[in-house]
Amino acid sequence: MDYSLTIIVPLYNEEENLKRVEEKMMEYISNSRINTQVLFVNDGSKDNSEKLVIDICQRNPEFKYISFEKNAGLSAAIKAGFDYSETNLTGYIDSDLQTDPFDFNLLLDEIDNYDLVTGYRHERKDSGIKNLSSHVANTVRNWFTHDGMDDTGCPLKIIRTDYAKRIPMFSGLHRFLPAMILLQGGRIKQVPIKHFPRIAGTPKFGLRNRLIKPLMDCFAYLWMKKNYINYKVGRRS
């Protein structure tokens, strides 16, 4: 089958969620308006996640996976997904399924006119501390990036794959995807999506990951922006 959309599902120690991921993603694929496949990126899980992923991929031809030799972080997992995607469009959703795969349809409604469409969780179902820290982090990022996004960390996005593959690798990249598309002269949009509480597994980010590390990443982004090389070929022979 020729696929048009690859949905990246990064995971690290998510054995409690993977059966639900299989069910929800198969339900979406069966009703998707375009041919869609799933790419698991196992970020060096130490639990039973890899075996479960292999079983899922053997049962369903729409699923495939890559596995890191050791944990490399969410940004590396997303970048690997971009690198291995072979479709015109690449999506991204977290394995905790706090966002709804069917909301990819809301992003697909807009992608013809944009190079990245991201959701924003306008009614988040997280703890007060988590919501506050994310709000502060997003506000600080906007000071640096001026990308106009309210929720750059939202784990539901669709990107044109040729743009995604040109995003350079750096730690914290997942927080700056809209800004990196803007650096390429691309067009971005955000749309409101649903959000749900995490019902299984353990969150991988604490207060330090949501405040201190993102601030450090903002300075890395400023360096990237100053030194970023962007070009378009006019003619060739």
Side-chain angles (χ1 to χ4, degrees):
M1 180 183 293
D2 291 329
Y3 295 104
S4 300
L5 171 64
T6 298
I7 297 177
I8 303 166
V9 183
L11 62 108
Y12 177 67
N13 294 346
E14 290 286 358
E15 62 181 2
E16 296 175 22
N17 277 312
L18 288 174
K19 179 60 178 175
R20 194 164 61 99
V21 170
E22 178 186 14
E23 293 170 352
K24 293 292 186 181
M25 294 308 300
M26 276 305 301
E27 183 181 359
Y28 175 70
I29 288 171
S30 299
N31 293 278
S32 178
R33 69 188 67 171
I34 61 176
N35 291 337
T36 301
Q37 64 181 351
V38 171
L39 174 61
F40 286 116
V41 183
N42 175 30
D43 183 20
S45 294
K46 298 177 181 178
D47 62 0
N48 202 37
S49 292
E50 183 173 46
K51 182 183 183 304
L52 293 174
V53 163
I54 292 172
D55 291 344
I56 291 170
C57 293
Q58 289 176 342
R59 286 194 294 268
N60 306 289
E62 301 89 352
F63 287 71
K64 57 183 182 177
Y65 78 97
I66 57 177
S67 241
F68 290 172
E69 292 183 351
K70 61 181 180 180
N71 179 250
L74 179 58
S75 292
I78 293 173
K79 184 64 168 65
F82 291 161
D83 291 344
Y84 279 82
S85 177
E86 298 177 345
T87 53
N88 291 331
L89 297 174
T90 301
Y92 155 52
I93 190 171
D94 274 353
S95 53
D96 59 20
L97 289 184
Q98 287 191 255
T99 52
D100 184 356
F102 276 87
D103 279 348
F104 276 118
N105 290 336
L106 300 176
L107 310 189
L108 288 171
D109 286 342
E110 304 289 345
I111 196 62
D112 284 349
N113 299 311
Y114 296 92
D115 303 298
L116 175 147
V117 182
T118 180
Y120 76 88
R121 300 160 287 185
H122 65 300
E123 293 182 355
R124 291 187 63 168
K125 306 301 181 182
D126 290 322
S127 67
I129 291 293
K130 188 174 180 180
N131 286 338
L132 177 61
S133 62
S134 292
H135 174 73
V136 171
N138 276 300
T139 300
V140 171
R141 274 193 295 273
N142 262 315
W143 291 344
F144 284 82
T145 64
H146 304 289
D147 60 15
M149 298 289 103
D150 297 309
D151 187 12
T152 59
C154 178
L156 198 81
K157 292 177 172 63
I158 290 181
I159 309 175
R160 295 193 180 278
T161 304
D162 56 341
Y163 278 81
K165 288 182 181 295
R166 292 195 295 267
I167 295 175
M169 178 66 170
F170 67 94
S171 177
L173 123 84
H174 61 281
R175 303 182 181 99
F176 294 88
L177 294 177
M180 298 307 297
I181 300 302
L182 290 179
L183 284 184
Q184 298 181 44
R187 300 155 297 171
I188 63 176
K189 183 172 183 175
Q190 61 180 357
V191 296
I193 63 165
K194 299 184 290 294
H195 189 244
F196 306 95
R198 176 187 266 269
I199 63 173
T202 304
K204 307 303 186 293
F205 293 94
L207 190 61
R208 182 183 184 280
N209 302 97
R210 297 184 183 280
L211 292 178
I212 300 173
K213 182 63 166 60
L215 179 60
M216 297 168 60
D217 292 338
C218 284
F219 290 102
Y221 167 78
L222 286 184
W223 181 92
M224 180 75 65
K225 182 178 181 180
K226 180 179 178 181
N227 294 278
Y228 187 73
I229 296 173
N230 191 32
Y231 65 87
K232 292 184 178 180
V233 175
R235 298 193 187 99
R236 66 178 184 178
S237 62

